[in-house]
Amino acid sequence: MIRITLLGLLLLTAAAGCTTTNVSSHCSLALPGNLDRAISEVEQRLASGCEYQFDSYFQQLLSMAEENPDSENKVRFSDHLLRVNEMGVISQRQAREYYNRYFNVKFVSLSGDYNTCAQACPVQAEVMSNMRNELRDKQVGLLKASDDKSAYYRADHLLKEADLVLEATCRACAAGNPEAVGVR
Amino acid sequence: MNSRLLASLLLTAILSCTAASAAPTGPVIKLFPTTVLEDIRETSSVAAEMENNLQEIIARLDMQQKLYSESLCDGADGDQGCTRMAKQLGETYLEMLNAMGERLPEMERAVNNTRSSLEKRLRQELGQRTTPTTLQEQLLGQQTATGRTDRPALRGRSGVRLSDRFKQYYDLVATHKNGPSKSLAVVAADIYLDMEEASVLISATQQEIGRAALMEQLNQSFGLITPEMSAVVGGVKEILFGESSNATPIASPPYEIGQTEFVSPLEM
């Protein structure tokens, strides 16, 4: 009886090893050249054990979209992220972050529910730095992948306006609270 | 140093009114209550007085400078006629410095009043009553989904008299003449930062004027026209009367009209 159990465990372990190897190689295969097919392929892989590759897939899909700019790419990525969220690979919050970071004029980096003096001003330089990095992602998502110059320039303008307004607002906040000066 | 300060001061003042601007669309943010508007109007009036005061002197300086150049006086050391012209130029220059010195305290008061009132409004309205999220929405509020907006041309627009710029600015914020597509928050921020800088520069300039006047009085004995003098006069003309253009708007997006945008359910 013990022998049979041990044999069974041995076989199970071996099978698991084989499965891991298959999944791993399956996850790393090159994606098809067409963006729609690539998205479909990615979703299949994410459903079959390749969840850990999500970010890498997302970047690959973005690169493919950059090579094939199309205003519909925004929709493709939105739908893809919604499906991936439904599959449970990423949370809704993550899906929102991915989408908005690349395809929305608004900046994920400038958000929060506390007042500006308390939340953004103490880390003003960091907020601006994050927004500048995010603009680079919007350049990929909006300008290159979606060929949406108008939206990208709006984001660019928004960044500049936010920089100006934050600078003034934070100075005004600091003037009203001298102890807070220098917390940037 | 003096010329740079004067030029910077006036440039800063002109830039403050340059901030074209605004009219609210979304949530009501009271950045420009009557008191702030009155401060701006007063600054406009002080600037106009300064212009009127300096215009005749600068015209005279121009004429004298032209005569000096046309007489090939540059480098003509020892020529009595040229020395006389240089002295006259120096006197007029001193007159300009004195006129500025007289008007600067009033300008300083007006600028400081505007700065203080704007500072308070910015702190209350954008700092304490607004979150980063709503601030962004406020800024983006003027940019419609269908595209084009007339963004304020910030900082550096030239070609208009200083007092006219203040008047334009007053009109914009007081009557929302230019439609609902511009951001009051941006205008307020722009004006406030410029006023803050101007305030510092005015103090520094006041200190410098005494020193420059003394130097010029010394130069009078030698009849020199210094490059500093030319630079100051050039700067004052450019800034007060907008005689040259140095427009550097923060962005000029090629907005497209009539596009309908895809709105993802994931959008913020």
Side-chain angles (χ1 to χ4, degrees), chain A residues 16-162:
Chain A
C18 290
T19 307
T20 305
T21 308
N22 288 340
V23 165
S24 185
S25 59
H26 167 66
C27 294
S28 310
L29 288 173
L31 293 171
N34 175 284
L35 184 60
D36 285 326
R37 283 174 51 211
I39 286 174
S40 174
E41 174 69 25
V42 163
E43 287 168 10
Q44 282 176 27
R45 290 188 198 176
L46 290 173
S48 57
C50 304
E51 297 94 330
Y52 66 97
Q53 288 270 48
F54 170 76
D55 196 54
S56 163
Y57 289 148
F58 192 78
Q59 294 304 325
Q60 287 180 60
L61 293 175
L62 277 173
S63 299
M64 290 174 66
E66 274 186 69
E67 287 165 18
N68 302 283
D70 184 350
S71 59
E72 288 301 302
N73 282 344
K74 214 185 268 190
V75 185
R76 290 187 175 99
F77 275 88
S78 172
D79 292 345
H80 168 62
L81 287 166
L82 282 169
R83 285 191 296 268
V84 174
N85 164 236
E86 282 165 14
M87 289 159 62
V89 176
I90 56 172
S91 67
Q92 193 176 40
R93 184 189 176 88
Q94 286 173 308
R96 279 208 186 107
E97 284 217 8
Y98 271 102
Y99 181 81
N100 289 303
R101 183 170 189 88
Y102 288 91
F103 297 99
N104 193 357
V105 174
K106 285 186 192 173
F107 285 79
V108 176
S109 314
L110 184 60
S111 55
D113 298 327
Y114 293 99
N115 76 51
T116 306
C117 283
Q119 185 165 1
C121 290
V123 288
Q124 187 193 338
E126 192 184 326
V127 168
M128 289 316 304
S129 169
N130 291 341
M131 285 180 80
R132 278 188 281 274
N133 288 336
E134 189 173 336
L135 185 67
R136 278 195 279 275
D137 290 337
K138 291 185 193 306
Q139 189 178 27
V140 172
L142 287 174
L143 190 64
K144 293 181 180 172
S146 307
D147 197 24
D148 192 347
K149 292 185 186 70
S150 166
Y152 174 71
Y153 282 115
R154 282 162 62 203
D156 178 60
H157 203 99
L158 178 60
L159 169 64
K160 287 171 176 135
E161 287 192 342

Side-chain angles (χ1 to χ4, degrees), chain B residues 46-65:
Chain B
V46 172
E49 281 176 32
M50 202 162 163
E51 277 170 13
N52 293 338
N53 219 259
L54 288 172
Q55 192 162 22
E56 185 272 325
I57 303 173
I58 286 174
R60 205 167 354 120
L61 264 175
D62 264 352
M63 206 174 60
Q64 289 171 340
Q65 178 77 56

Side-chain angles (χ1 to χ4, degrees), chain B residues 6 9-10 13 42-55 57 94-112 162 198 202-203 205-206 209 236 240:
Chain B
L6 286 173
L9 159 67
L10 290 168
E42 200 194 334
T43 311
S44 168
S45 151
V46 172
E49 281 176 32
M50 202 162 163
E51 277 170 13
N52 293 338
N53 219 259
L54 288 172
Q55 192 162 22
I57 303 173
L94 273 175
E95 203 181 326
M96 189 190 80
L97 289 183
N98 288 334
M100 284 196 72
E102 279 173 21
R103 294 289 169 186
L104 273 179
E106 204 180 347
M107 192 77 184
E108 184 181 37
R109 188 183 50 76
V111 164
N112 283 343
L162 181 60
I202 284 173
S203 304
T205 303
Q206 281 175 318
I209 279 180
V236 169
L240 277 183

